[in-house]
Amino acid sequence: LHNISAAAAAAATTDNVSSSACWKWSDDMSKEISLGNIASLLSAINTIDLVQSTWINMPITPPSLLNQIPSLNCILNEGAWGNDVKTLIVSAEVNASAAAMFDFIMDVSKRTMYDPVLEEARVVRSLDENNDIIQYVYKGLVGEGGEKKKKSDYSLLRTWGKHDSRYIISSRSILHPSLPEDDDFIREEISPSGFILSPILDENTPVKEEEVVSNKTHLQYVIIVTPRVKQIAGGNPVQLVVGAVAKLIGHCETL
């Protein structure tokens, strides 16, 4: 994951990678596309310090979650991607190692344990040691008249790796022949979203074979909130996402 920003800039100049939420996979540009996936996620985090005025602190609901996780925090950026697209970041300190959390999150079969509107998650194709194609299928919406609408699905490029001591997992919409659109689903798109897991260090944190060993992790979950995400969340994406992260933390602290 070295030279991430440079690789992302190079990728953005190609026909395969654009500002659209959905990129087109290319074997020839695989390195640039995967590094761009990580870089886009990190750029959202970097704007917290660079453009503080555009971030809004959101209330934690229900407030009882703060009794369970006092460090739980949620901020929203309403202007980075346009009026209809917002960036949501949920963060907390977790009593679990970053490595254990990384392994838990990478197991897509466990995602339904903390994502209440997800119906199915599967790995469609492994691309290399740091990339795969995954599919998320979300439950069908219910219309105003009570009619059940189609389920929605996402074709995602998932990129992961370790940068310094942080574990990073970023997923974004991708056009890939292994997962064509299915008439049974409404194909949705999302910009880079995912997890940054940073060990919390102090002077007593042990180092084993040049590897930092910490049982506390600073979790950051970044999601791009589009109008469709709002619909899937029943109109309240903040509460849904915060609740999902709280469930994830609960599972991770029992690992």
Side-chain angles (χ1 to χ4, degrees):
L1 296 177
H2 298 298
N3 300 322
I4 286 177
S5 297
T13 64
T14 73
D15 291 335
N16 293 328
V17 181
S18 70
S19 59
S20 167
C22 192
W23 289 359
K24 181 180 179 181
W25 179 257
S26 165
D27 290 336
D28 293 335
M29 293 292 296
S30 59
K31 183 177 180 180
E32 289 80 2
I33 293 172
S34 60
L35 289 179
N37 194 11
I38 293 287
S40 297
L41 184 72
L42 292 176
S43 69
I45 297 296
N46 292 338
T47 61
I48 298 175
D49 295 326
L50 295 175
V51 196
Q52 293 183 1
S53 61
T54 63
W55 289 93
I56 303 169
N57 286 308
M58 304 299 293
I60 300 298
T61 55
S64 59
L65 287 177
L66 290 172
N67 296 329
Q68 305 169 34
I69 312 168
S71 62
L72 193 61
N73 184 58
C74 179
I75 56 177
L76 180 72
N77 187 312
E78 295 190 306
W81 303 98
N83 293 333
D84 292 332
V85 182
K86 309 178 190 305
T87 306
L88 187 67
I89 300 178
V90 182
S91 60
E93 294 183 6
V94 186
N95 294 316
S97 72
M101 293 185 67
F102 174 80
D103 289 341
F104 184 87
I105 294 168
M106 283 295 296
D107 186 346
V108 296
S109 69
K110 291 184 168 63
R111 179 144 183 140
T112 54
M113 296 169 63
Y114 56 90
D115 189 338
V117 292
L118 182 69
E119 184 167 289
E120 180 187 359
R122 66 186 182 104
V123 176
V124 176
R125 181 178 175 184
S126 176
L127 299 175
D128 56 41
E129 65 273 14
N130 292 105
N131 293 276
D132 59 18
I133 303 297
I134 60 175
Q135 181 187 35
Y136 288 161
V137 177
Y138 282 89
K139 298 173 183 177
L141 304 174
V142 177
E144 294 182 359
E147 73 281 5
K148 190 172 182 179
K149 298 184 178 180
K150 277 187 178 181
K151 299 175 184 178
S152 58
D153 83 326
Y154 289 85
S155 169
L156 300 173
L157 168 67
R158 182 174 62 165
T159 305
W160 63 88
K162 192 175 181 183
H163 182 54
D164 296 328
S165 60
R166 296 182 297 179
Y167 292 86
I168 303 170
I169 306 169
S170 182
S171 300
R172 71 165 306 141
S173 291
I174 194 79
L175 293 172
H176 194 279
S178 65
L179 190 55
E181 291 192 37
D182 187 325
D183 289 340
D184 290 337
F185 306 127
I186 300 171
R187 174 59 54 87
E188 304 295 348
E189 296 181 1
I190 195 166
S191 295
S193 299
F195 299 88
I196 300 174
L197 309 169
S198 307
I200 297 175
L201 312 177
D202 58 34
E203 64 275 8
N204 298 317
T205 302
V207 178
K208 183 178 180 182
E209 298 179 354
E210 300 184 358
E211 183 78 11
V212 175
V213 180
S214 173
N215 290 321
K216 284 185 175 290
T217 299
H218 182 233
L219 160 70
Q220 292 173 298
Y221 177 61
V222 181
I223 183 170
I224 307 300
V225 181
T226 63
R228 180 65 176 179
V229 170
K230 288 182 182 179
Q231 287 183 309
I232 294 173
N236 194 339
V238 174
Q239 184 173 354
L240 181 74
V241 172
V242 169
V245 172
K247 287 184 179 180
L248 170 64
I249 291 171
H251 288 295
C252 288
E253 291 192 334
T254 62
L255 296 175

